[in-house]
Amino acid sequence: MNHHLHHTLKAVSAQCFGKNQSLPSLCYTDTDLLTLEIDRVFRRGWLCLGRVDEIPEVGDYFTYQLLNEPLLVVRSDPDSVSVYANVCRHRAMPVAQGAGNAKRFVCPYHAWTYDLNGALKSAPLMKKKADLKHCGLPVIRSEQWGGFIFATFSNNVAPLQESLQGLEEVTANYQMASMHHIANFSEVWECNWKSLAENFMDGYHLSVVHPQSLRPLTPTNLCDSLSQGDAYTSYIANYAKAAPAREHFAPTLTEVETRQSRLFCVYPAMVASLSPDTLVYLSLQPVGVSQVQVKWGICVWEDNLSEEHKQQRIEKWQQINHEDHEVLQGLQKGLRSSFYQGGALAPESLEGCVSHFHDYLIRMLD
Ligand code: FES
Ligand SMILES: [Fe+2]
């Protein structure tokens, strides 16, 4: 780390760690800091790739670009999902493109062929067959939690499920793993990745930024803190009295839970809104200091939701995301100002998660 950045981080830590303060603007604009975040936060954390039920049948797969790593996510047998480096062992061509179903993966360059377990099965015209024995696709460490597929490039980070025990307790009754994936989208938002994570975990903005889409349902003044740990933070968005009752949800939900959404962040870069009937998640990765790649998806509780109702839920969240994106684009402009130095955050029930997220980042970057 260069001397200047080291000095800056010390100052940020002194100003913000445990102090319920927003971060200074350079945290959202400095390219050296972004390089450090990729190295220490992204490459050392658990990152969400998508949902298990995007690939329900054996051979179903999707490819995913995570930082500089092309990945291949495959239902390798009925009970397991495997994540491989999507890089041919011959001369590095990605062996799979897009998504689909395959019995084997044939490299489009010279036709080396891999099975669903990533083992090399054939390599045309190669003479030294024995050399090919250990030429499987590299396996990436992965885990499932709540029906999500996570991967990490680190061998040292603690197992995910273990790290999320506290979050598991406060989300278990909603039965996320039983919800059905109906759609996902890939977008680039024009803001720093941290601003998007913070925005999603901030109950303080709900009534102001979402006057039509959220204020009548989950107004700011009803937000409350929930649970936090080393690997996550979360808050509750209580429903307004006039908000219509949800009709379809897990039988395990308590009466109180049927009138709450629980919003959480699995550090560093997955945020989600879990309501009785709908689960929306966003998985983030930085493209640059002012751009973030977003994979976001929607899952629903109902088994056979009509196309019309699916579309309604998707459109509702497109609207919410649009409202947030507009604000975040403005924010990124403000963060480039040389006059902004960071300010106080709202109380724990409203912006506590933002403060927890900052403390996590400062720990990781230290
Ligand atoms: S790069 Fe894949 S077979 Fe040559
Ligand atoms: Fe929002």
Side-chain angles (χ1 to χ4, degrees):
M1 193 191 323
N2 71 43
H3 183 72
H4 173 70
L5 188 57
H6 180 74
H7 185 78
T8 301
L9 283 171
K10 282 270 169 283
V12 170
S13 177
Q15 183 184 335
C16 303
F17 189 75
K19 300 235 172 78
N20 212 35
Q21 285 283 316
S22 58
L23 299 175
S25 52
L26 68 90
C27 292
Y28 303 86
T29 54
D30 187 287
T31 50
D32 290 338
L33 178 68
L34 179 66
T35 305
L36 193 70
E37 285 175 340
I38 289 171
D39 191 36
R40 296 206 175 158
V41 177
F42 281 84
R43 295 205 67 108
R44 296 182 192 181
W46 285 102
L47 304 168
C48 176
L49 309 183
R51 292 284 295 175
V52 175
D53 70 343
E54 282 178 66
I55 44 174
E57 307 295 335
V58 172
D60 284 352
Y61 71 90
F62 64 86
T63 57
Y64 191 74
Q65 182 72 25
L66 186 52
L67 308 171
N68 284 333
E69 309 289 354
L71 301 180
L72 172 56
V73 186
V74 192
R75 172 74 63 165
S76 41
D77 69 59
D79 301 317
S80 52
V81 165
S82 305
V83 182
Y84 307 114
N86 186 15
V87 180
C88 183
R89 292 294 298 270
H90 178 222
R91 279 171 56 200
M93 185 71 188
V95 299
Q97 285 76 35
N101 182 280
K103 292 200 166 49
R104 59 194 74 80
F105 296 100
V106 182
C107 178
Y109 201 1
H110 314 91
W112 283 26
T113 300
Y114 302 86
D115 68 13
L116 298 181
N117 297 310
L120 182 64
K121 294 318 250 186
S122 69
L125 307 175
M126 295 291 285
K127 293 262 157 60
K128 293 190 188 158
K129 294 292 178 208
D131 285 358
L132 306 179
K133 262 220 173 104
H134 303 290
C135 276
L137 297 173
V139 176
I140 308 295
R141 187 177 170 202
S142 67
E143 266 193 57
Q144 293 173 22
W145 175 76
F148 292 102
I149 304 162
F150 283 85
T152 181
F153 302 127
S154 165
N155 290 321
N156 300 320
V157 63
L160 180 70
Q161 288 192 8
E162 199 178 295
S163 313
L164 296 183
Q165 260 166 28
L167 184 57
E168 177 63 28
E169 279 164 29
V170 297
T171 55
N173 290 352
Y174 291 80
Q175 298 193 37
M176 276 190 290
S178 301
M179 287 189 170
H180 310 284
H181 162 265
I182 58 167
N184 61 258
F185 304 90
S186 184
E187 298 170 355
V188 174
W189 290 28
E190 305 296 322
C191 63
N192 188 274
W193 73 274
K194 294 187 293 297
S195 301
L196 177 40
E198 289 160 6
N199 172 75
F200 207 90
M201 296 312 297
D202 148 14
Y204 195 28
H205 82 284
L206 296 179
S207 291
V208 187
V209 174
H210 309 290
Q212 263 102 48
S213 57
L214 288 178
R215 187 169 167 209
L217 306 172
T218 56
T220 288
N221 63 318
L222 297 182
C223 290
D224 206 353
S225 45
L226 182 54
S227 160
Q228 63 144 326
D230 287 346
Y232 72 93
T233 186
S234 59
Y235 80 92
I236 294 176
N238 284 295
Y239 298 165
K241 277 218 172 62
R246 308 282 171 129
E247 288 171 25
H248 304 278
F249 45 77
T252 36
L253 284 184
T254 64
E255 185 115 5
V256 170
E257 286 168 332
T258 64
R259 300 202 53 87
Q260 295 181 333
S261 289
R262 300 193 164 189
L263 291 96
F264 59 83
C265 176
V266 175
Y267 299 146
M270 186 264 220
V271 288
S273 163
L274 173 60
S275 79
D277 58 15
T278 311
L279 167 63
V280 171
Y281 73 94
L282 285 71
S283 184
L284 319 177
Q285 51 176 313
V287 179
V289 287
S290 348
Q291 280 194 324
V292 49
Q293 176 77 45
V294 182
K295 174 177 179 176
W296 70 276
I298 303 195
C299 311
V300 298
W301 175 259
E302 296 93 322
D303 231 334
N304 293 308
L305 194 62
S306 69
E307 280 310 314
E308 189 192 333
H309 283 105
K310 279 184 192 171
Q311 208 45 44
Q312 277 174 8
R313 276 196 223 174
I314 292 167
E315 279 166 19
K316 179 186 164 196
W317 272 93
Q318 283 172 327
Q319 174 63 25
I320 293 168
N321 283 344
H322 175 74
E323 290 161 357
D324 284 321
H325 191 182
E326 293 275 299
V327 163
L328 290 169
Q329 279 176 293
L331 198 69
Q332 193 65 26
K333 288 202 183 97
L335 287 166
R336 284 189 213 111
S337 161
S338 55
F339 295 99
Y340 177 72
Q341 295 306 326
L345 293 173
E348 177 77 16
S349 60
L350 300 178
E351 280 191 307
C353 290
V354 177
S355 179
H356 307 152
F357 176 65
H358 292 167
D359 289 354
Y360 156 79
L361 287 170
I362 292 167
R363 281 200 310 272
M364 295 299 284
L365 294 171
D366 203 10

